[in-house]
Amino acid sequence: MKIKNQSLYGQDSEIEEKIGDRSIDSFVKVRGWILIIATLGLAIFSLLNIASASFYTSMRFYKTEYFFVKRQFLFLLAGIIPLFMGLGINYRWYEKKQAIKLIVILTFILFGVVAIGTAFGINSIVPIINGSRRWIDFKIIRLQPSELLKIAYIILIAKGLNACKKRKYKDMDVILTIFPFVMFFVLSVFFQRDLGTALHYIAISFIMIFFSDIELKHIFKFIAVIVVIGVTYGSYAYFLGDDTSYRNRRIRAYVNGVIYDDYDNGDGYQIKQSLIAVGNGGLIGKGLGNGTQKYSYLPEIHTDFIMASVGEEWGFVGVAIMFLTYIIILQIGITIAKSTKDHFGKYLAIGITGYLFSQIIMNVYVVTGLMPVTGIPLPLMSYGGTSLWTTLFSIGVLYNINKHSLKEGTKDANQEERGSE
């Protein structure tokens, strides 16, 4: 039976494929299980590193060595729920009107609470943490809406790109269709004083647009505009920005570090200590629990700077194994996107893969001083529930796309055959 197979660039090619072939079915199942095993492997590995990186801070503030690792373990147990939700819900449901309405309502509620809390200075609900208001405090737990809504953002863009594909929109028409979604999310996050997450949203949209039908010249024009805006804003922050702005001081610390190799003991201190941690690890590291940067030298070492702790205690070998696991997950995501027969599933898969890839890259750039400190966690590794739950749900959705990829291909092929009779 002939079916159509679309590449990531939307080019159609007819291939001969036996949908019911056992070898293909086995490959898809194995691919899915490797995805889950690699994901849970990293999450479990993170517990070891969080236990080591956080025990001093935990003992200092909470009089117990295991405060943070216990909470992370509970977050991981709770993460089984979003993981199984992603696994169990057919990804095509997210394209339906009721799903889109639900996503839009949740987006407005979550961003609305943050906006109201910020406007009226309600610190008990929307506290200021590290210079930004991006959390909703439920007393027993804090949730970060901008992190939770990344998957909603991906779904909306995938829906928009799929609609453009069906209507045969070209180039700028596609960009103009999804541009309102991008700007709404980016500006909503930017005004929370969370520049890093705003940049992450932009990166996700770029990756998804890149693998659409838009000609590359239009994509590069769009990128050029964003780069000009970014350079202009960065120049203003560095030369003319107010010193009272946390964001401006971070940009100055970043530029001084990259250009002049000058990491002061103020806003450049965190990057300085991070580089020391990574450098001290050498080839095989100091050994689990033997790192020194966690003793109040490197702030937030168990959260956004967990990679520095891995580098110090596990060395180059440990970091390489961690990244090899990430590469396996990302490669599986790409192969799922390529093998999925419907465009919505393709865009959704590449969006999730792009979300993970860009977040990993941004965190690594921060830890190694190649990017200003932005508060971007390392997926599956950094301490925190919101990021972990979002990642686990996304992996579940990716697995579901993989599971249904052949079924959707069979359905599309049968429809084409009936249409040609």
Side-chain angles (χ1 to χ4, degrees):
M1 174 174 55
K2 286 187 177 182
I3 66 170
K4 285 202 180 259
N5 178 50
Q6 290 87 17
S7 71
L8 286 175
Y9 295 96
Q11 296 169 336
D12 294 337
S13 60
E14 286 193 346
I15 61 172
E16 293 283 348
E17 183 176 337
K18 294 182 179 180
I19 297 298
D21 190 88
R22 290 184 179 179
S23 61
I24 297 176
D25 188 56
S26 298
F27 172 75
V28 170
K29 289 180 180 178
V30 170
R31 183 172 65 184
W33 278 111
I34 292 175
L35 175 66
I36 298 299
I37 291 170
T39 298
L40 294 179
L42 278 177
I44 293 170
F45 180 57
S46 77
L47 293 176
L48 292 175
N49 291 280
I50 290 170
S52 174
S54 68
F55 88 88
Y56 177 77
T57 303
S58 181
M59 194 70 186
R60 182 181 175 189
F61 291 102
Y62 300 99
K63 309 305 179 184
T64 173
E65 297 177 354
Y66 307 111
F67 177 81
F68 290 106
V69 72
K70 281 182 178 178
R71 285 177 64 88
Q72 188 68 11
F73 178 70
L74 293 176
F75 291 153
L76 182 56
L77 288 180
I80 294 175
I81 297 174
L83 175 63
F84 275 90
M85 285 177 61
L87 292 171
I89 300 174
N90 190 320
Y91 74 91
R92 296 304 297 267
W93 181 80
Y94 304 116
E95 193 181 13
K96 295 182 178 180
K97 288 183 179 180
Q98 57 266 40
I100 297 299
K101 287 180 181 178
L102 180 61
I103 289 170
V104 171
I105 290 171
L106 287 175
T107 299
F108 276 105
I109 290 175
L110 291 174
F111 278 154
V113 170
V114 175
I116 292 171
T118 301
F120 293 96
I122 310 175
N123 294 332
S124 60
I125 299 177
V126 185
I128 300 176
I129 300 176
N130 293 333
S132 63
R133 291 182 182 269
R134 49 180 170 170
W135 299 87
I136 299 177
D137 192 348
F138 292 97
K139 303 309 176 185
I140 60 173
I141 192 172
R142 288 173 179 165
L143 293 179
Q144 185 180 351
S146 58
E147 192 71 32
L148 285 173
L149 292 173
K150 285 177 182 177
I151 186 65
Y153 178 71
I154 292 168
I155 290 171
L156 290 175
I157 293 182
K159 171 73 173 177
L161 290 174
N162 188 43
C164 291
K165 181 71 177 180
K166 290 179 178 179
R167 297 170 186 172
K168 299 182 179 179
Y169 283 0
K170 296 295 182 181
D171 303 329
M172 292 306 298
D173 290 333
V174 178
I175 292 177
L176 292 175
T177 298
I178 68 168
F179 187 72
F181 300 119
V182 175
M183 291 308 299
F184 172 77
F185 278 88
V186 170
L187 291 178
S188 295
V189 174
F190 181 81
F191 287 120
Q192 297 172 17
R193 298 181 181 178
D194 187 2
L195 179 60
T197 305
L199 291 174
H200 190 209
Y201 275 99
I202 292 173
I204 293 170
S205 61
F206 277 162
I207 292 171
M208 295 183 72
I209 290 172
F210 184 81
F211 290 107
S212 66
D213 287 340
I214 301 175
E215 291 185 19
L216 291 180
K217 64 179 181 180
H218 296 289
I219 296 175
F220 289 132
K221 287 178 184 178
F222 194 37
I223 293 175
V225 171
I226 299 298
V227 169
V228 169
I229 294 173
V231 171
T232 302
Y233 175 78
S235 300
Y236 171 81
Y238 184 80
F239 292 106
L240 303 173
D242 188 354
D243 285 339
T244 61
S245 170
Y246 193 60
R247 186 185 298 154
N248 292 345
R249 295 200 309 271
R250 280 185 168 181
I251 291 175
R252 285 201 187 99
Y254 160 71
V255 174
N256 290 336
V258 171
I259 297 179
Y260 306 111
D261 195 25
D262 178 19
Y263 297 99
D264 58 33
N265 288 326
D267 295 295
Y269 174 81
Q270 203 169 15
I271 294 297
K272 178 181 178 180
Q273 296 301 320
S274 175
L275 292 173
I276 291 173
V278 174
N280 285 345
L283 181 63
I284 59 174
K286 295 180 176 181
L288 183 64
N290 295 328
T292 57
Q293 288 299 314
K294 60 194 169 197
Y295 295 107
S296 295
Y297 291 105
L298 177 54
E300 310 291 344
I301 190 171
H302 60 292
T303 58
D304 302 337
F305 283 83
I306 192 67
M307 197 198 92
S309 178
V310 175
E312 184 179 27
E313 298 190 350
W314 297 84
F316 174 80
V317 173
V319 172
I321 293 173
M322 181 182 73
F323 279 109
L324 178 61
T325 309
Y326 278 129
I327 290 171
I328 291 172
I329 293 172
L330 295 174
Q331 182 59 40
I332 289 174
I334 292 171
T335 57
I336 290 172
K338 290 175 68 176
S339 62
T340 302
K341 304 303 184 291
D342 74 291
H343 289 92
F344 176 72
K346 192 181 299 293
Y347 293 134
L348 190 56
I350 204 62
I352 292 171
T353 306
Y355 143 65
L356 295 172
F357 170 76
S358 54
Q359 186 160 321
I360 293 166
I361 292 297
M362 291 177 72
N363 179 272
V364 172
Y365 274 28
V366 167
V367 171
T368 54
L370 297 176
M371 185 175 174
V373 177
T374 56
I376 296 291
L378 186 61
L380 301 169
M381 288 294 296
S382 292
Y383 170 80
T386 308
S387 176
L388 178 63
W389 297 334
T390 305
T391 303
L392 289 175
F393 179 75
S394 301
I395 292 294
V397 174
L398 199 57
Y399 179 93
N400 188 271
I401 296 172
N402 176 67
K403 182 175 70 173
H404 289 282
S405 60
L406 292 180
K407 296 179 182 179
E408 296 299 330
T410 306
K411 185 192 299 181
D412 294 342
N414 292 336
Q415 289 176 349
E416 287 183 16
E417 287 184 351
R418 286 195 297 268
S420 61
E421 289 178 356

